[in-house]
Amino acid sequence: MEHLQEHEASLEQTQRYCVQRPIYNEELLQGQLHRRERTPQTLRQKIAHSCRCSSKKAKSHLYSCIPILKWLPRYPVKEYLLGDIISGISTGVMQLPQGLAYALLAAVPPVFGLYSSFYPVFLYTFFGTSKHISIGTFAVISMMVGGVAVREVPDEMIPVGYNSTNVTDSLDFDARDTKRVQVAVTLAFLSGIIQLCLGLLRFGFVAIYLTEPLVRGFTTAAAVHVFTSQLKYLLGIKTSRYSGPLSVVYSIAAVLSKITTTNIAALIVGLTCIVLLLIGKEINLRFKKKLPVPIPMEIIVVIIGTGVSAGMNLSESYRVDVVGNIPQGLRAPAVPDIQLIPAIFVDAIAIAIVGFSMAVSMAKIFALKHGYAIDGNQELIALGICNFVGSFFQSFSITCSMSRSLVQESTGGKTQIAGALSSIMVLLVIVAIGYLFEPLPQTVLAAIVMVNLKGMFKQFGDIAHFWRTSKIELAIWVVAFVASLFLGLDYGLLTAVAFAMITVIYRTQSPQYRILGQIPDTDIYCDVEEYEEVKEYPGIKIFQANASLYFANSESYTSALKKKTGVDPCAVLAARRKAQKRHGREIKKANANDVEASVKHEIANDELPVNGRFAEASVQDMSPDEQERFVEPKPNIHSLILDFTPVNFVDSVGAKTLKSIIKEYKEVGVRVCIASCSAPVMNELTRLSFFDNTVTREWLFHSIHDAVLASLVQLGLASGKVSQEPGVVGEDVLFPQDSPATRDRKLSASEITA
Amino acid sequence: MEHLQEHEASLEQTQRYCVQRPIYNEELLQGQLHRRERTPQTLRQKIAHSCRCSSKKAKSHLYSCIPILKWLPRYPVKEYLLGDIISGISTGVMQLPQGLAYALLAAVPPVFGLYSSFYPVFLYTFFGTSKHISIGTFAVISMMVGGVAVREVPDEMIPVGYNSTNVTDSLDFDARDTKRVQVAVTLAFLSGIIQLCLGLLRFGFVAIYLTEPLVRGFTTAAAVHVFTSQLKYLLGIKTSRYSGPLSVVYSIAAVLSKITTTNIAALIVGLTCIVLLLIGKEINLRFKKKLPVPIPMEIIVVIIGTGVSAGMNLSESYRVDVVGNIPQGLRAPAVPDIQLIPAIFVDAIAIAIVGFSMAVSMAKIFALKHGYAIDGNQELIALGICNFVGSFFQSFSITCSMSRSLVQESTGGKTQIAGALSSIMVLLVIVAIGYLFEPLPQTVLAAIVMVNLKGMFKQFGDIAHFWRTSKIELAIWVVAFVASLFLGLDYGLLTAVAFAMITVIYRTQSPQYRILGQIPDTDIYCDVEEYEEVKEYPGIKIFQANASLYFANSESYTSALKKKTGVDPCAVLAARRKAQKRHGREIKKANANDVEASVKHEIANDELPVNGRFAEASVQDMSPDEQERFVEPKPNIHSLILDFTPVNFVDSVGAKTLKSIIKEYKEVGVRVCIASCSAPVMNELTRLSFFDNTVTREWLFHSIHDAVLASLVQLGLASGKVSQEPGVVGEDVLFPQDSPATRDRKLSASEITA
């Protein structure tokens, strides 16, 4: 522990970084180290290990599958129950209006929103691992469900300009709604199965592809979709509902074309509700600390709306659309319509993944805040069970709602008990007083939906934020937004995920190429263009690309190397060949010439032109006189160090590129070293049979500084020039003019060209 | 140049790596360096620069567009002409039979293969930059053209079991062939335009996505396609031709179902040709050096085949299918059928890209061998012009043929003149003696095609090769092969490219996570599990992931960090909270207890469990007695160093993850440092507002060793423990038990949990 002691000695005065060790290339380093012998587990051992069975293991397995078994027996009633009850009531009071409102989005009658706010919420209590998220209807998912329902059962099947004030009066509408419910329910069934399968297969990681900018762009687009779909309810206009690509444009156009038929009474009620809800939100935000429980403005608005509507008979006097028939009690379970599956499979995948990623991202935020762990795969299984089982009881796809979850957590909810209580509140409404909400105007629900979009619309601010922080993430946001807005949420999401992956390729494919130089008196090498202090050793070029070397960037790596170092072996070889040919002709022409002179000439040719490009152009454009000038000695490089610090993997194309670089530069007398090649990359290179008798591990150095020192040593031993001219910088030629090694190299190069 | 001198001093005896410098964190380093002032070019300057016009620039532009202007005036007639003539004749002799044979593949009458072997080949002389590749018909491209032609004009339109020996006798067949020619010609037209556009837009780089394993898997599948499509000609069976997914299966099934109708005469002629061709290939290979020119076995076989067929009247006596009508002379130019474009657009893109990548990869091999440069974009333009202009003269899509290119180069071809001569040979045949080939049996052509596939079938050996070198590249090969075989060449290629990109994501997404340790007395840090010599400093963990940190891997980064280091802050906090609560209860229960004792207890709680997992499980399962034991002091870490050497980029998700890691570990009293963060990553972190008053640049160190030394210094100053126990390894606790700093930290942590 030479270091530690050294370091302690100087501890009080200065903290210095002191290292003294041999110059390590990989050959030397590997020779000094002893590889730890690892007996890898055989497949049989692995299987035996994973199949080993014990009661403890079974118990922990059971606990992880049904988490309630673990936490309920230990439930501290005194401490938690009050908080859970308050939180449960507050959340339940939100579940009600949101369930009714989001059912409109899902294109199903409102009562199905209530079913969706009961069954899955109750089930989650048993299987969920997050203590604070509120499962249930959610705008984005409901919108996606609605899009599919409308696509499969379009409005065109019934007359559009229908004039009745009460929609459900018509048998046609009933038939349509029944079919749409079937679609929505089958979608929940299928997305539940998909989530369940993904969870059982431990595929929870798929959500990682939904990066934050993508999700935010996507949800912003969803908010626009939701907003446009609610406009007609707010204005009391009757238009058909659109789905698929450009549905937003069609929806807005349809609303605008019928803007003259606006129902003033509905609009007034709707706008009043919006104002009330916004005031309520503002108060809840401002007096967050003073209020014991946030004001449940949504349920207040619903109650007032229902009262006003019933009192003034809005439905019949003013032809305001109301919620209409809410059947009392629950429905008997029914099997979803399996035949619909092929048509909605892709949508189900999209809903399953979006639903999961919403829930798990929210769950993670709370878990982090309250210091407990959630299990992504178990969450997936829980959501899957909620959707799957719920679908038998006519509920549509659900996930976690952000607004409700925030309320559940902030009102003191401690465990899943709060969620269970909120679902029981919804149940009570369904079985007891649901019919009371029949006169509720739809415009009130539209107002609730729209005000809940406020947070999502705020995400437009992301554009400015990502513009400042990262253009690539801005691009992901914009692509996710635009694609989801115009292609529809399903294809939009797919496009956005594909685009996000392409950005990763792009990042690895177009790296920054830099020439490094030393900060004097240190082992630190930086970009020469960045700092004034950075100096290059004469004759040594250090090249770095901040990416791995593989098929998509190996070509640009080579060309950047030639451009940045200013040495293109092809051009140099071409120039040299030209000169040799001329030399041959000269010998033929004038045999009387001195032999010594021609040898001198050949040596001169060995000097490389600084700029390969220039050399190439000049050789072919110049007269012989000019060529004479061209072959004059010029400052040049003898060593090229490729910094492999940022290289994390190499494929066969990369290895071949590397090998041809080494070969090409060797032909023109430049020694190529590789510095800081990590162990995994070295293993990959070995497997790709990169090392042979021409390229050995001696060309690999532990660090750039090792490689530089080794180059200097090699040079010093060969010509002794370093010691004669210490400290020379920049313009000096340190190229060994006629050492035996280079002489050999030169001969072999000319042999190749012969 | 402190180094250089130091180094020179010890040059003769030992080459040592000696560094003495301050311990650098980024704050300190940036303070000592002066950023070079760079005035970036304004947009106006850039535009002005690129628009600047000069006669020299115009000339070099003209030269790069029409390369023949550059090399022809300087053509050394005496040196090159003989080689070019021999090579041109040898290649032309191959163009003939291959043109006829590949026309069968492209599902057009043989004469169109001859047209395709003339016009584009001649045009390439003017625009191409490669001196050695032989442009013309090529099996894979012809197969792709044939697939599209058959799809657009299927056999079902005419009776299949047609019995005439001479196919072209029928008007139905004529109509079908005319239509197929239209499709093939329009395909050439469109792919030419696409190549031209890509070339003009400098999009030559698209070919980089076709990595070697992909191309090899794809061409192997193409070889299987070609082989199955030729079986019926070899056997003299009449079946329809299939295209699209599973066409290979259908083709083989169709041939097998009619195997009893095999024409024995055709089979004998075909097999004889195959044997002759294989012998010829073998001789050419064995006596490569002794033969001045390879034996043109293909043309010999064609001539013998034609002679035998004419002499024995195979066509009528034995009902062997022959080439049939070869119209003499050239056709007037005609505009391709524009209306077909929408139906074949995707295929044209695939053909354009495959054609280009074949040509450019071959051209690069020769350019490297002979030391000249090719211009990828100009190659794209040249191929585009060849296809585009050729399509007006009824030629189908072409590219470079591997077998012909090898002959052209090995027989001494020096420039594009050889290609021009070979095309003139084809022209002579078309205008003068084409009709002579009319009795040539199709089985001979099938034999030629099949034997030419030999090289591609050898690529099955790749499977073993890639199995040894890289499993990922094996996967790319297999996916490319299987997809191209069963989905058809176009969709197969698309699938393979998508898969190749996903492998890149996969590589960056599932990195290897390692704990590093020091090789004593050096600044070298290696995987602790790999070498025996590697030692860890007690209390310091160095964690490395060999990938960048971004959305797809940040989650696994966090979990791997917790697992590998054995410290999970969440678990520790949960344990601590539990203990504090218990402590609170104890205080309530027994107020008589000494205050000092409880303080001592709290300190004890500050000790972290080694294994977070164990801690979590135990906290919830244990009785209070057991918990007493759990909170006993245990060996632990005080510093966590994240090695950022392999990190090439960070996105917002990565930055947030990093920040939350730092925050979480800080709460449990572990100091997190980042080592060797590269300049671009640091800039990204700055833009992502990663640095604030809690996380500063002082946490970033130039190297792992800097970070380790700094940690030791910090520790030493705080407690003086290091100097008391020098050289301790492994089990010792170096955690500062009660320094003011940690005391504060602990308090704030408990505040948060309160």
Side-chain angles (χ1 to χ4, degrees):
Chain A
M1 289 271 129
E2 184 177 327
H3 265 322
L4 210 63
Q5 286 159 9
E6 246 178 54
H7 152 76
E8 280 154 32
S10 63
L11 203 72
E12 268 68 37
Q13 286 86 38
T14 49
Q15 285 99 40
R16 299 279 293 176
Y17 175 109
C18 313
V19 175
Q20 257 215 328
R21 60 169 174 82
I23 300 171
Y24 280 123
N25 61 33
E26 287 300 330
E27 196 72 31
L28 190 64
L29 194 60
Q30 300 283 339
Q32 293 195 355
L33 296 176
H34 297 87
R35 204 167 276 276
R36 219 182 268 271
E37 273 175 44
R38 276 180 288 184
T39 43
Q41 271 195 320
T42 62
L43 192 66
R44 203 174 146 187
Q45 281 175 315
K46 276 183 197 165
I47 292 171
H49 183 79
S50 66
C51 292
R52 202 171 295 152
C53 210
S54 68
S55 74
K56 200 175 171 186
K57 209 168 173 181
K59 202 174 159 193
S60 95
H61 229 79
L62 186 69
Y63 277 178
S64 86
C65 284
I66 311 175
I68 197 172
L69 295 181
K70 197 170 161 190
W71 59 263
L72 197 61
R74 243 173 285 187
Y75 186 77
V77 178
K78 251 195 283 177
E79 285 173 63
Y80 282 1
L81 194 61
L82 186 68
D84 275 346
I85 288 175
I86 293 172
S87 161
I89 292 172
S90 311
T91 318
V93 151
M94 285 182 81
Q95 288 272 21
L96 263 181
Q98 289 192 355
L100 292 171
Y102 291 152
L104 283 187
L105 270 181
V108 296
V111 73
F112 293 94
L114 294 184
Y115 299 152
S116 308
S117 305
F118 166 60
Y119 293 105
V121 185
F122 194 70
L123 283 168
Y124 185 80
T125 313
F126 297 92
F127 300 102
T129 58
S130 169
K131 302 177 184 173
H132 296 91
I133 64 171
S134 168
I135 289 296
T137 54
F138 179 54
V140 174
I141 296 288
S142 303
M143 184 72 213
M144 292 173 86
V145 171
V148 180
V150 170
R151 190 190 66 210
E152 295 297 315
V153 189
D155 274 339
E156 286 86 64
M157 287 166 73
I158 46 137
V160 173
Y162 198 65
N163 250 350
S164 160
T165 45
N166 198 342
V167 176
T168 47
D169 274 0
S170 149
L171 255 178
D172 272 327
F173 277 100
D174 268 357
R176 182 198 68 175
D177 284 346
T178 313
K179 277 191 186 167
R180 285 192 177 165
V181 169
Q182 271 183 351
V183 173
V185 163
T186 312
L187 210 48
F189 171 78
L190 198 54
S191 62
I193 290 180
I194 291 167
Q195 286 173 332
L196 207 53
C197 292
L198 288 178
L200 291 174
L201 293 171
R202 310 273 125 187
F203 266 38
F205 71 86
V206 292
I208 58 174
Y209 294 115
L210 304 181
T211 172
E212 205 194 335
L214 190 155
V215 169
R216 294 179 75 93
F218 173 76
T219 49
T220 311
V224 175
H225 274 282
V226 171
F227 189 85
T228 53
S229 77
Q230 293 301 301
L231 267 183
K232 65 170 184 175
Y233 295 111
L234 186 72
L235 299 173
I237 293 175
K238 294 212 171 40
T239 68
S240 24
R241 189 168 156 174
Y242 299 89
S243 74
L246 294 182
S247 60
V248 168
V249 179
Y250 294 135
S251 292
I252 292 178
V255 168
L256 288 181
S257 72
K258 293 211 176 180
I259 195 85
T260 48
T261 66
T262 300
N263 185 325
I264 303 296
L267 184 59
I268 289 172
V269 172
L271 288 179
T272 315
C273 292
I274 288 181
V275 171
L276 282 176
L277 287 165
L278 285 176
I279 291 172
K281 265 198 182 237
E282 193 60 29
I283 290 173
N284 284 340
L285 197 72
R286 285 249 179 114
F287 304 102
K288 203 176 177 183
K289 291 196 174 162
K290 291 183 190 163
L291 291 170
V293 163
I295 301 169
M297 198 44 107
E298 292 187 351
I299 196 78
I300 294 173
V301 159
V302 165
I303 292 168
I304 294 176
T306 313
V308 168
S309 174
M312 295 175 69
N313 200 358
L314 286 182
S315 165
E316 283 175 22
S317 322
Y318 299 90
R319 294 178 163 257
V320 171
D321 283 340
V322 296
V323 164
N325 186 30
I326 294 185
Q328 220 155 344
L330 297 170
R331 292 206 177 187
V335 178
D337 188 355
I338 309 292
Q339 286 175 324
L340 286 169
I341 287 179
I344 59 173
F345 193 71
V346 177
D347 309 281
I349 294 176
I351 288 174
I353 292 178
V354 171
F356 167 63
S357 70
M358 295 278 167
V360 93
S361 60
M362 205 71 198
K364 267 186 199 161
I365 292 172
F366 290 128
L368 205 66
K369 188 170 174 188
H370 293 274
Y372 60 89
I374 59 146
D375 175 352
N377 289 313
Q378 178 58 29
E379 281 300 295
L380 205 40
I381 292 172
L383 279 177
I385 292 174
C386 292
N387 277 322
F388 174 74
V389 177
S391 73
F392 287 89
F393 298 92
Q394 276 83 31
S395 68
F396 56 83
S397 292
I398 50 80
T399 182
C400 133
S401 149
M402 301 198 185
S403 56
R404 281 199 315 274
S405 300
L406 284 172
V407 167
Q408 178 167 338
E409 190 250 3
S410 64
T411 52
K414 300 285 185 210
T415 64
Q416 291 91 322
I417 295 282
L421 288 175
S422 79
S423 75
I424 288 168
M425 270 197 69
V426 174
L427 177 68
L428 289 179
V429 169
I430 297 173
V431 295
I433 54 162
Y435 66 94
L436 288 178
F437 291 110
E438 287 184 359
L440 174 64
Q442 289 188 352
T443 185
V444 174
L445 295 179
I448 292 173
V449 171
M450 283 176 161
V451 171
N452 272 329
L453 297 176
K454 200 182 148 199
M456 287 202 227
F457 277 123
K458 273 192 187 158
Q459 292 179 149
F460 276 114
D462 289 354
I463 296 178
H465 172 250
F466 286 124
W467 174 262
R468 281 195 309 275
T469 57
S470 166
K471 300 286 182 296
I472 289 179
E473 300 199 328
L474 178 68
I476 295 177
W477 194 98
V478 169
V479 167
F481 176 74
V482 171
S484 306
L485 192 59
F486 292 115
L487 297 181
L489 293 176
D490 39 5
Y491 288 106
L493 185 69
L494 219 72
T495 312
V497 170
F499 182 79
M501 291 201 178
I502 288 174
T503 61
V504 178
I505 305 266
Y506 171 78
R507 290 208 204 227
T508 61
Q509 178 197 319
S510 13
Q512 294 166 12
Y513 298 104
R514 306 185 296 168
I515 293 290
L516 305 185
Q518 192 193 29
I519 297 176
D521 303 336
T522 68
D523 57 343
I524 302 177
Y525 289 79
C526 292
D527 190 350
V528 286
E529 287 172 20
E530 198 155 2
Y531 299 108
E532 288 175 9
E533 284 82 359
V534 176
K535 295 269 179 285
E536 284 186 75
Y537 276 97
I540 300 178
K541 284 271 175 198
I542 305 162
F543 180 76
Q544 188 198 49
N546 64 339
S548 297
L549 190 62
Y550 72 108
F551 64 85
N553 63 13
S554 55
E555 207 164 308
S556 80
Y557 186 87
T558 314
S559 62
L561 175 67
K562 288 176 184 173
K563 205 176 148 199
K564 284 268 179 190
T565 58
V567 179
D568 182 349
C570 283
V572 172
L573 277 184
R576 194 182 284 181
R577 207 170 295 146
K578 205 95 190 175
Q580 274 167 351
K581 209 177 283 165
R582 190 164 53 83
H583 179 59
R585 275 202 299 272
E586 272 170 17
I587 287 176
K588 270 190 193 166
K589 271 187 198 166
N591 262 332
N593 273 7
D594 198 0
V595 177
E596 235 177 292
S598 77
V599 169
K600 210 192 281 167
H601 182 78
E602 201 180 24
I603 292 163
N605 281 349
D606 214 2
E607 298 298 333
L608 318 175
V610 170
N611 190 326
R613 233 191 148 69
F614 166 69
E616 190 187 22
S618 50
V619 167
Q620 298 186 326
D621 293 339
M622 279 192 265
S623 69
D625 272 3
E626 279 171 314
Q627 284 194 21
E628 193 69 57
R629 240 179 295 148
F630 155 72
V631 294
E632 269 172 28
K634 280 184 181 179
N636 222 294
I637 71 167
H638 51 79
S639 291
L640 179 61
I641 298 169
L642 305 177
D643 179 17
F644 257 44
T645 314
V647 174
N648 295 322
F649 62 87
V650 168
D651 71 352
S652 66
V653 177
K656 271 182 198 164
T657 305
L658 202 57
K659 204 153 182 174
S660 85
I661 287 172
I662 293 175
K663 193 180 146 243
E664 283 182 39
Y665 276 92
K666 196 180 174 186
E667 276 183 29
V668 298
V670 176
R671 192 165 164 273
V672 180
C673 309
I674 295 169
S676 346
C677 186
S678 72
V681 172
M682 210 146 60
N683 292 341
E684 262 172 348
L685 285 175
T686 311
R687 267 204 305 281
L688 291 164
S689 45
F690 173 75
F691 299 106
D692 53 20
N693 43 5
T694 59
V695 182
T696 66
R697 282 204 176 69
E698 284 175 31
W699 303 64
L700 264 63
F701 290 90
H702 169 69
S703 72
I704 302 179
H705 198 53
D706 284 286
V708 168
L709 293 181
S711 294
L712 291 176
V713 167
Q714 170 118 353
L715 202 62
L717 288 178
S719 69
K721 266 217 154 180
V722 183
S723 45
Q724 283 160 31
E725 296 173 31
V728 281
V729 182
E731 292 299 281
D732 257 79
V733 187
L734 282 177
F735 193 73
Q737 294 260 334
D738 219 342
S739 72
T742 39
R743 188 98 195 123
D744 283 348
R745 214 177 291 143
K746 194 168 55 192
L747 283 179
S748 71
S750 50
E751 258 171 29
I752 289 162
T753 60
Chain B
M1 291 270 130
E2 183 178 327
H3 265 322
L4 209 63
Q5 286 159 10
E6 245 177 57
H7 151 77
E8 281 153 35
S10 63
L11 203 71
E12 268 70 37
Q13 288 87 37
T14 50
Q15 285 99 39
R16 298 280 293 177
Y17 174 110
C18 313
V19 174
Q20 258 217 326
R21 59 171 174 82
I23 299 171
Y24 280 122
N25 61 32
E26 286 301 331
E27 195 73 31
L28 189 63
L29 194 61
Q30 299 283 340
Q32 294 195 356
L33 296 176
H34 297 88
R35 205 167 275 276
R36 220 182 266 274
E37 273 176 41
R38 277 181 288 184
T39 43
Q41 272 196 321
T42 62
L43 191 66
R44 204 176 146 185
Q45 281 174 315
K46 275 182 197 166
I47 292 171
H49 183 78
S50 66
C51 292
R52 204 170 294 154
C53 208
S54 69
S55 73
K56 202 175 169 185
K57 209 168 174 181
K59 203 174 157 192
S60 94
H61 229 79
L62 187 68
Y63 277 178
S64 87
C65 284
I66 312 176
I68 196 173
L69 295 180
K70 198 171 162 189
W71 59 262
L72 196 62
R74 243 171 287 190
Y75 186 76
V77 177
K78 253 195 283 178
E79 286 174 63
Y80 282 3
L81 194 60
L82 187 68
D84 275 347
I85 289 175
I86 294 172
S87 159
I89 293 171
S90 311
T91 318
V93 151
M94 286 181 81
Q95 288 272 20
L96 263 181
Q98 289 192 352
L100 293 170
Y102 291 153
L104 283 188
L105 270 182
V108 296
V111 73
F112 293 94
L114 295 184
Y115 299 152
S116 308
S117 306
F118 166 60
Y119 294 103
V121 185
F122 194 71
L123 283 168
Y124 185 79
T125 313
F126 298 92
F127 300 103
T129 58
S130 169
K131 301 176 184 173
H132 296 91
I133 64 172
S134 168
I135 289 297
T137 54
F138 178 54
V140 174
I141 296 287
S142 304
M143 185 71 213
M144 291 174 86
V145 171
V148 179
V150 170
R151 189 189 67 209
E152 295 297 315
V153 189
D155 274 338
E156 286 87 63
M157 287 164 73
I158 46 137
V160 173
Y162 198 64
N163 249 349
S164 160
T165 45
N166 197 341
V167 175
T168 48
D169 274 1
S170 151
L171 257 179
D172 271 328
F173 278 99
D174 268 356
R176 182 198 67 176
D177 284 346
T178 313
K179 276 190 187 166
R180 285 191 177 167
V181 169
Q182 271 182 352
V183 172
V185 163
T186 312
L187 210 48
F189 171 78
L190 197 55
S191 61
I193 289 180
I194 291 166
Q195 287 173 332
L196 207 54
C197 291
L198 288 177
L200 292 174
L201 293 172
R202 310 273 123 186
F203 265 39
F205 70 86
V206 292
I208 57 175
Y209 294 115
L210 305 182
T211 172
E212 205 193 336
L214 189 154
V215 170
R216 294 178 76 94
F218 173 76
T219 50
T220 312
V224 176
H225 274 282
V226 171
F227 188 85
T228 53
S229 78
Q230 293 301 299
L231 268 182
K232 65 170 183 173
Y233 295 111
L234 187 72
L235 300 172
I237 292 174
K238 296 212 170 38
T239 68
S240 20
R241 189 168 154 172
Y242 299 89
S243 73
L246 294 182
S247 60
V248 168
V249 179
Y250 294 137
S251 293
I252 293 177
V255 168
L256 289 181
S257 72
K258 293 212 175 178
I259 196 84
T260 48
T261 67
T262 300
N263 186 323
I264 304 295
L267 184 59
I268 290 172
V269 172
L271 288 179
T272 315
C273 291
I274 288 180
V275 171
L276 281 176
L277 287 165
L278 286 176
I279 291 173
K281 267 198 181 236
E282 192 60 29
I283 291 174
N284 284 340
L285 197 73
R286 286 247 178 116
F287 305 101
K288 205 177 178 183
K289 291 196 175 163
K290 289 182 190 166
L291 290 170
V293 163
I295 301 169
M297 199 43 107
E298 292 187 351
I299 196 77
I300 293 172
V301 160
V302 165
I303 291 169
I304 294 176
T306 313
V308 168
S309 174
M312 297 177 69
N313 201 0
L314 288 181
S315 165
E316 284 175 20
S317 324
Y318 299 91
R319 293 178 166 256
V320 170
D321 284 337
V322 296
V323 165
N325 185 31
I326 295 186
Q328 219 156 344
L330 298 170
R331 292 207 177 185
V335 179
D337 189 357
I338 308 292
Q339 286 175 324
L340 286 168
I341 287 179
I344 59 173
F345 193 72
V346 176
D347 309 280
I349 293 176
I351 289 175
I353 292 177
V354 170
F356 167 63
S357 70
M358 295 278 166
V360 95
S361 60
M362 205 72 198
K364 267 187 199 160
I365 292 171
F366 290 127
L368 205 68
K369 187 171 174 189
H370 293 274
Y372 61 87
I374 59 146
D375 175 353
N377 288 313
Q378 178 59 27
E379 281 300 295
L380 205 40
I381 291 172
L383 279 176
I385 291 173
C386 292
N387 277 323
F388 174 73
V389 177
S391 74
F392 287 89
F393 298 90
Q394 276 83 32
S395 68
F396 56 83
S397 291
I398 50 81
T399 182
C400 134
S401 148
M402 301 197 183
S403 56
R404 282 200 315 274
S405 300
L406 285 171
V407 168
Q408 178 167 338
E409 189 250 2
S410 65
T411 51
K414 300 284 185 211
T415 64
Q416 291 90 325
I417 294 282
L421 287 175
S422 79
S423 74
I424 287 169
M425 272 197 67
V426 174
L427 178 67
L428 289 179
V429 170
I430 297 173
V431 296
I433 54 162
Y435 66 93
L436 289 177
F437 291 111
E438 287 184 357
L440 175 64
Q442 290 187 352
T443 186
V444 175
L445 294 180
I448 291 173
V449 171
M450 284 176 160
V451 172
N452 273 329
L453 296 176
K454 200 183 147 199
M456 288 200 224
F457 278 121
K458 273 193 187 158
Q459 292 179 148
F460 276 113
D462 289 356
I463 296 177
H465 172 249
F466 286 125
W467 174 262
R468 282 195 309 274
T469 57
S470 166
K471 300 284 181 296
I472 288 179
E473 299 199 329
L474 178 68
I476 294 177
W477 193 100
V478 169
V479 167
F481 176 76
V482 171
S484 307
L485 192 60
F486 293 115
L487 297 181
L489 293 177
D490 38 4
Y491 288 107
L493 185 68
L494 220 73
T495 312
V497 169
F499 182 78
M501 292 203 178
I502 288 172
T503 62
V504 178
I505 305 267
Y506 171 79
R507 291 209 204 225
T508 62
Q509 178 197 318
S510 15
Q512 294 165 12
Y513 299 104
R514 306 184 296 169
I515 292 290
L516 305 186
Q518 192 192 29
I519 297 177
D521 303 336
T522 69
D523 57 343
I524 302 176
Y525 290 80
C526 292
D527 190 349
V528 285
E529 286 172 21
E530 198 154 1
Y531 299 108
E532 288 175 8
E533 285 82 359
V534 176
K535 295 271 180 284
E536 285 186 74
Y537 277 97
I540 300 178
K541 283 274 176 199
I542 306 162
F543 180 75
Q544 189 198 49
N546 64 340
S548 297
L549 190 62
Y550 72 107
F551 65 84
N553 63 12
S554 55
E555 207 163 307
S556 80
Y557 185 89
T558 313
S559 62
L561 175 67
K562 288 176 183 171
K563 205 176 148 198
K564 284 269 179 189
T565 58
V567 178
D568 182 349
C570 283
V572 172
L573 277 183
R576 193 182 284 180
R577 206 170 296 146
K578 206 95 189 176
Q580 275 168 351
K581 210 177 281 166
R582 192 164 52 84
H583 180 60
R585 277 201 299 272
E586 273 171 14
I587 287 177
K588 271 189 192 168
K589 273 187 197 164
N591 260 330
N593 272 8
D594 196 0
V595 178
E596 234 176 294
S598 76
V599 169
K600 211 193 280 167
H601 181 76
E602 200 179 25
I603 293 165
N605 281 349
D606 215 3
E607 297 299 334
L608 318 177
V610 171
N611 190 326
R613 232 188 148 73
F614 166 69
E616 189 185 25
S618 49
V619 166
Q620 298 186 328
D621 292 339
M622 280 192 269
S623 68
D625 271 2
E626 280 170 313
Q627 283 194 24
E628 192 72 58
R629 240 180 294 150
F630 155 72
V631 293
E632 269 172 25
K634 279 184 183 181
N636 222 295
I637 71 168
H638 51 80
S639 292
L640 179 61
I641 298 169
L642 305 177
D643 179 18
F644 257 43
T645 314
V647 174
N648 295 321
F649 61 87
V650 168
D651 71 351
S652 66
V653 177
K656 271 182 196 161
T657 305
L658 203 57
K659 205 153 181 172
S660 85
I661 287 173
I662 292 175
K663 192 178 147 245
E664 283 182 39
Y665 277 93
K666 196 179 174 184
E667 277 184 27
V668 297
V670 176
R671 192 165 164 273
V672 180
C673 310
I674 295 169
S676 347
C677 185
S678 72
V681 172
M682 208 147 61
N683 292 339
E684 262 171 347
L685 285 176
T686 310
R687 268 203 305 281
L688 292 165
S689 44
F690 173 74
F691 300 106
D692 53 20
N693 43 6
T694 58
V695 182
T696 66
R697 281 206 178 68
E698 282 175 35
W699 302 63
L700 264 62
F701 290 90
H702 169 68
S703 71
I704 302 179
H705 198 53
D706 284 287
V708 168
L709 293 181
S711 294
L712 292 176
V713 167
Q714 171 117 352
L715 204 62
L717 288 176
S719 68
K721 267 217 154 180
V722 183
S723 43
Q724 283 160 33
E725 298 173 30
V728 281
V729 181
E731 291 299 281
D732 257 79
V733 188
L734 282 175
F735 192 75
Q737 294 260 332
D738 220 343
S739 70
T742 39
R743 187 99 196 122
D744 285 346
R745 215 177 293 143
K746 194 168 55 193
L747 283 179
S748 70
S750 50
E751 258 172 29
I752 290 162
T753 59

